[in-house]
């Protein structure tokens, strides 16, 4: 509005009152109150909110990629939350005064573990060009990750040998790329002043590397007698030779062909999942979003994706049948039941904590595939066929645990200065697999790198699951899934959410220190009952 028009009403008022006594001037307007400062969100609350939102966004992106085959959006979920990976959030958390409340201090440490992992992952420079992990076999291109399943399905020893030779260059490229990634991680840790990867692993795993190595070694010792005898019997039955005369290329065939083909049909996968959930006191359809569609681009492998915990936990599966799928599905089901059963507040209890905790519940459900009573009831097979499946399933359970122990021990060797070469792998493999490992096999079957000792999470989860399985069997006088008290036992432990370490979970479950002995005892008893 022009100045003249704004002043006109004021001039007219003055002329109307020209002969009136002069009015006193109006009191000045009171000064406006100072504007309230915008609320300052405490840094720890902002970190928690951003971590929660990041994990939800990553869950959505993972689900989309897994169930449709779309490219995984890695950068999108981090947009606007870059400080979680660039060190800003970690520095803000470290600058806070110590929490006086022990529970809050524990939550902050779990938060710090997550931020440390994000910072390290962002700082480790990826290779400029990913390694080519494919090879040509009989005129077609094969992904290295698919070689084991092809070997398992191949009955002809000569064709297994040819496939093994064809995959060797890709395996060597993969090993070289893994060494480069481990070196990049070590360099990033040094540049950030975080120490070497082994020191970071000790912080993240809440255990000294020496203690983890001791547990891995004890696992090989405890499970060795039962495993070695079982694998020798399976080798003689499936490839017609003692274990000592087999090659690593024969191992997938020995393990897979030993199973009873009718034990795990695709048509029963979801029904078995619902039965397992019901044994734990859970209506699967009401608590977990299960996608079992057969869709183009969808991954064949089962996967649990926590988008928002506990209200939006999803489980993807595409039933095709077989023992490997049954075990993988049951494992992911155990993870889903745990996550959807969390009732604790806070992102730490809902989303963070030790990965060994979720692995424990996954392993407990996966172990149903090696439970004689479960196999008899759910599969309907009897006699020799049932005994065959029990033997194969139990041997495979031991094999998985022993390979985790071998991977951990080999990485410890490397961290102590041992050469990252094939003979080093062969020495550890020979101990884990109970047979000599040739120089050719050493070169063709390198043990996966594990600079942060993540195999310790899966190992401790599997051992703790066996301890819980044995403890619940004692409480219920039989398999835990038949005990009517199992839901009331599981629910409060799941409701509490994640904890910082598997040792914390072991204490909550009342099963004592982590040990491989319960797993070994269970294996021996089941092998004996099945006829070994």
């Amino acid at each position: 509005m022009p100045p003249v028009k704004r002043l006109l009403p004021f001039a007219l008022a003055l002329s109307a009152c020209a002969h009136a006594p002069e009015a006193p001037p109006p009191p000045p307007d009171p000064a406006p109150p100072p504007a309230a400062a915008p609320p300052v969100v405490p840094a720890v609350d902002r970190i928690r909110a951003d971590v929660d939102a990041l994990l939800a966004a990553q869950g959505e992106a993972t689900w989309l990629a897994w169930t449709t085959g779309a490219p995984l959006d890695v950068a999108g979920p981090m947009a606007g939350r870059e400080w979680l990976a660039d060190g800003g959030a970690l520095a803000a958390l470290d600058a806070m005064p110590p929490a006086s409340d022990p529970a809050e201090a524990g939550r902050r440490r779990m938060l710090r573990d997550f931020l440390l992992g994000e910072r390290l992952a962002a700082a480790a420079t990826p290779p400029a060009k990913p390694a080519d992990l494919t090879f040509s076999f009989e005129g077609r291109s094969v992904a290295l990750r698919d070689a084991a399943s092809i070997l398992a399905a191949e009955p002809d020893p000569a064709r297994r040998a040819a496939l093994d030779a064809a995959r060797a260059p890709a395996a060597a490229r993969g090993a070289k790329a893994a060494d480069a990634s481990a070196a990049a991680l070590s360099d990033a840790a040094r540049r950030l002043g975080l120490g070497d990867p082994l020191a970071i692993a000790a912080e993240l795993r809440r255990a000294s590397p020496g203690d983890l190595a001791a547990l891995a070694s004890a696992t090989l010792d405890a499970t060795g007698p039962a495993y070695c005898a079982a694998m020798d019997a399976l080798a003689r039955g499936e490839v017609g030779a003692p274990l000592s005369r087999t090659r690593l290329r024969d191992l997938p065939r020995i393990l897979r062909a030993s199973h009873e083909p009718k034990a795990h049909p695709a048509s029963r996968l979801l029904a078995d999942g619902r039965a397992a959930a019901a044994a734990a006191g859970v209506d699967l359809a009401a608590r977990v979003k299960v996608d079992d569609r057969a869709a183009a681009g969808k991954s064949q492998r089962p996967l649990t994706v926590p988008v928002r915990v506990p209200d939006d936990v999803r489980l993807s599966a595409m039933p095709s049948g077989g023992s490997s799928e049954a075990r993988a599905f049951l494992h992911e089901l155990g993870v889903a039941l745990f996550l959807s059963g969390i009732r604790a507040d806070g992102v730490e209890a809902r989303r963070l904590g030790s990965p060994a905790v979720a692995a424990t519940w996954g392993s407990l459900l996966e172990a149903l595939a090696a439970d004689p009573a479960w196999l008899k009831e759910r599969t309907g097979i009897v006699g020799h066929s049932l005994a065959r499946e029990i033997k194969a399933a139990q041997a495979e359970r031991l094999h998985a645990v022993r390979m985790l122990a071998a991977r951990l021990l080999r990485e410890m060797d490397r961290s102590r200065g041992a050469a990252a070469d094939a003979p080093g792998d062969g020495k550890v493999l020979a101990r884990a697999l109970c047979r000599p490992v040739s120089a050719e096999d050493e070169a063709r079957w390198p043990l996966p790198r594990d600079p942060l000792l993540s195999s310790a999470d899966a190992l401790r989860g599997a051992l703790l699951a066996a301890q819980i399985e044995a403890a619940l069997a004692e409480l219920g006088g039989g398999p835990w899934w038949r005990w009517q008290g199992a839901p009331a036992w599981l629910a409060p432990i799941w409701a509490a959410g994640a904890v910082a370490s598997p040792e914390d979970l072991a204490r909550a479950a009342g099963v004592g220190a982590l040990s491989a002995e319960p797993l070994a005892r269970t294996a021996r008893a089941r092998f004996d009952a099945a006829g070994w």
Side-chain angles (χ1 to χ4, degrees):
M1 177 183 295
V4 172
K5 289 189 177 181
R6 282 195 286 120
L7 292 175
L8 182 59
F10 182 65
L12 291 174
L14 286 180
S15 63
C17 302
H19 304 288
E22 186 173 355
D29 292 335
V40 177
V41 178
V44 70
D45 290 346
R46 181 188 165 194
I47 293 171
R48 285 171 171 146
D50 280 357
V51 167
D52 208 1
L54 172 66
L55 291 173
Q58 288 177 335
E60 288 283 11
T62 300
W63 183 257
L64 178 65
W66 200 266
T67 59
T68 69
L72 177 62
D73 182 5
V74 177
M78 189 61 77
R81 308 180 187 100
E82 290 82 2
W83 78 316
L84 297 179
D86 67 15
L90 185 60
L93 187 66
D94 286 344
M96 294 176 194
S100 57
D101 176 22
E104 172 64 10
R107 287 190 290 270
R108 289 190 187 181
R109 188 173 178 188
M110 292 162 71
L111 201 57
R112 190 180 192 281
D113 288 347
F114 176 83
L115 295 175
L116 180 61
E118 291 294 302
R119 181 72 182 108
L120 193 57
T125 305
K129 183 180 180 181
D132 177 13
L133 299 183
T134 63
F135 61 95
S136 178
F137 182 65
E138 296 183 338
R140 61 192 177 100
S141 179
V142 180
L144 182 61
R145 65 176 179 272
D146 295 332
S149 62
I150 299 173
L151 287 168
E154 180 51 67
D156 183 1
R159 282 175 55 81
R160 287 201 300 273
L163 177 65
D164 191 27
R167 69 176 288 283
R173 291 193 297 272
K176 186 176 180 180
D179 287 339
S181 294
L185 184 73
S186 181
D187 179 64
R190 178 188 54 77
R191 287 187 285 105
L192 296 173
L194 300 175
D196 62 19
L198 209 58
I200 298 172
E203 182 176 354
L204 296 177
R205 312 297 166 214
R206 298 287 194 275
S208 74
D211 287 346
L212 294 176
L215 181 65
S217 185
T219 298
L220 293 180
D221 290 342
T223 60
Y227 172 80
C228 296
M231 289 300 294
D232 186 66
L234 292 178
R236 292 174 186 274
E238 301 306 329
V239 300
L243 185 65
S244 60
R245 287 173 48 197
T246 61
R247 304 290 294 271
L248 294 190
R249 63 175 174 260
D250 299 319
L251 184 59
R253 178 69 185 174
I254 292 170
L255 288 170
R256 178 166 162 177
S258 301
H259 285 278
E260 169 55 45
K262 298 178 181 180
H264 300 287
S267 59
R268 216 188 56 238
L269 186 73
L270 266 293
D272 283 356
R274 287 190 290 269
V282 177
D283 179 348
L284 182 60
R287 213 159 88 178
V288 177
K289 299 177 182 179
V290 179
D291 178 357
D292 63 335
R293 298 169 302 120
K298 184 179 180 182
S299 175
Q300 185 73 51
R301 291 185 294 136
L303 181 70
T304 286
V305 179
V307 178
R308 281 171 291 279
V309 175
D311 300 322
D312 189 359
V313 176
R314 308 175 192 179
L315 174 55
S316 173
M318 196 160 67
S320 61
S323 60
S324 295
E325 180 186 56
R327 291 194 319 276
F329 176 75
L330 288 169
H331 185 101
E332 294 304 306
L333 174 65
V335 174
L337 295 182
F338 162 60
L339 292 172
S340 64
I342 293 174
R343 296 295 177 262
D345 293 328
V347 67
E348 296 87 356
R350 290 184 292 106
R351 305 301 304 259
L352 305 182
S354 171
V357 176
T360 297
W361 305 117
S363 296
L364 179 67
L365 270 290
E366 180 183 348
L368 292 174
D371 184 324
W374 176 268
L375 288 168
K376 182 177 181 180
E377 180 172 306
R378 297 300 304 175
T379 69
I381 58 178
V382 295
H384 173 74
S385 295
L386 178 60
R388 171 182 175 177
E389 184 59 29
I390 291 169
K391 294 171 185 177
Q394 199 60 44
E396 201 151 28
R397 185 183 185 187
L398 292 181
H399 177 77
V401 169
R402 290 176 67 83
M403 291 306 293
L404 288 169
R407 184 181 178 195
L408 195 154
L409 287 171
R410 178 61 177 127
E411 197 61 47
M412 288 294 299
D413 284 347
R414 294 188 185 101
S415 68
R416 291 167 176 162
D421 56 7
D425 286 352
K427 181 179 178 181
V428 176
L429 281 170
R431 181 184 177 191
L433 299 177
C434 308
R435 43 95 177 281
V437 176
S438 68
E440 184 179 83
D441 274 349
E442 291 170 352
R444 292 183 178 181
W445 295 87
L447 275 165
R449 293 300 307 266
D450 189 17
L452 294 179
L453 306 184
S454 61
S455 51
D457 295 327
L459 174 62
R460 292 188 292 175
L463 298 182
L464 181 51
Q467 290 176 264
I468 291 174
E469 181 184 8
L472 294 184
E474 185 174 349
L475 286 171
W480 72 264
W481 49 273
R482 284 182 174 165
W483 180 37
Q484 292 186 350
W489 191 94
L490 291 166
I493 295 182
W494 287 350
V499 292
S501 73
E503 288 76 15
D504 293 335
L505 179 57
R507 283 189 288 271
V511 298
L514 289 178
S515 169
E517 287 300 330
L519 176 62
R521 285 196 299 271
T522 297
R524 289 194 296 267
R526 290 176 177 175
F527 283 141
D528 289 345
W532 283 347

